[in-house]
Amino acid sequence: MKICVFCSANQQIDPVFFALTEELGKWAAENGHTIVYGGVNQGLMECIAKATKEAGGHTIGIVPMIVEKSGRLSDYVDVDIPCDNLSDRKQLMMDQSDVFIALPGGIGTIDEIFTVASSATIGYHQKQVILYNMNGFWDALIALLDDLQTKGMIRGNWRDYIKTADSIEEISHLI
């Protein structure tokens, strides 16, 4: 299975997120999954790729050309798929992946989560997004989605498109 991982490219974040991301990369490799990710050599992006590669797994980096030109391409990318911009990147990630796991991240990660989920709601695909809720990182987003659901702003149930998991064990049951 190809698992797309959305996550932060920042270094100055809680070390627990790095430890749990390493576990996920190792688990993915040991279970024969390929990691599709943003291909950047920083933050959780570099962490997931390094852990996957060190455990014998494979990675696919979907990398904007502006990132490659700036020298931020990870050495842990097995297959480099260059793209023109972030919209192109998200489409290529959707095309390349079977399921999506969102680790802690910021604006870009949230954008990716909702691009995939909204595409599923109107029938472009039936792929799921899983919020890996490390140390409660996604609690506020989950509360917001529940609030939007209560206010009638979401057709159907958002949990049909976005799942939540607090552990790798829970992730393994969802995919």
Side-chain angles (χ1 to χ4, degrees), residues 106-134:
I107 293 169
T109 300
I110 292 168
D111 175 48
E112 291 163 336
I113 292 165
F114 287 113
T115 295
V116 174
S118 63
S119 295
T121 66
I122 58 175
Y124 282 110
H125 62 80
Q126 295 179 344
K127 301 174 185 182
Q128 290 188 47
V129 176
I130 301 168
L131 299 178
Y132 187 178
N133 198 24
M134 299 175 173

Side-chain angles (χ1 to χ4, degrees), residues 161-175:
Y161 307 100
I162 302 173
K163 304 295 183 190
T164 62
D166 294 327
S167 67
I168 292 172
E169 182 180 352
E170 288 181 20
I171 289 170
S172 69
H173 293 300
L174 292 172
I175 61 174

Side-chain angles (χ1 to χ4, degrees), residues 1-7 24-25 28-29 33-40 44-45 48-49 52 57-63 76-81 88-103 112 127:
M1 178 177 293
K2 290 181 182 175
I3 300 172
C4 185
V5 174
F6 300 140
C7 61
L24 180 65
H33 303 304
T34 296
I35 294 295
V36 177
Y37 77 115
V40 174
L44 298 181
M45 282 196 209
I48 190 73
T52 300
H58 298 284
T59 64
I60 299 171
I62 314 288
V63 188
Y76 299 103
V77 171
D78 289 316
V79 177
D80 175 11
I81 301 176
D88 188 31
R89 180 194 223 178
K90 289 181 291 186
Q91 185 61 55
L92 287 165
M93 287 175 150
M94 282 193 285
D95 293 343
Q96 287 289 321
S97 304
D98 301 307
V99 67
F100 305 85
I101 299 176
L103 308 183
E112 291 163 336
K127 301 174 185 182

Side-chain angles (χ1 to χ4, degrees), residues 142-160:
I142 292 166
L144 173 63
L145 288 167
D146 284 339
D147 186 52
L148 291 170
Q149 184 89 52
T150 300
K151 291 176 177 170
M153 296 296 155
I154 299 175
R155 281 186 303 276
N157 185 346
W158 70 265
R159 292 176 190 269
D160 291 339

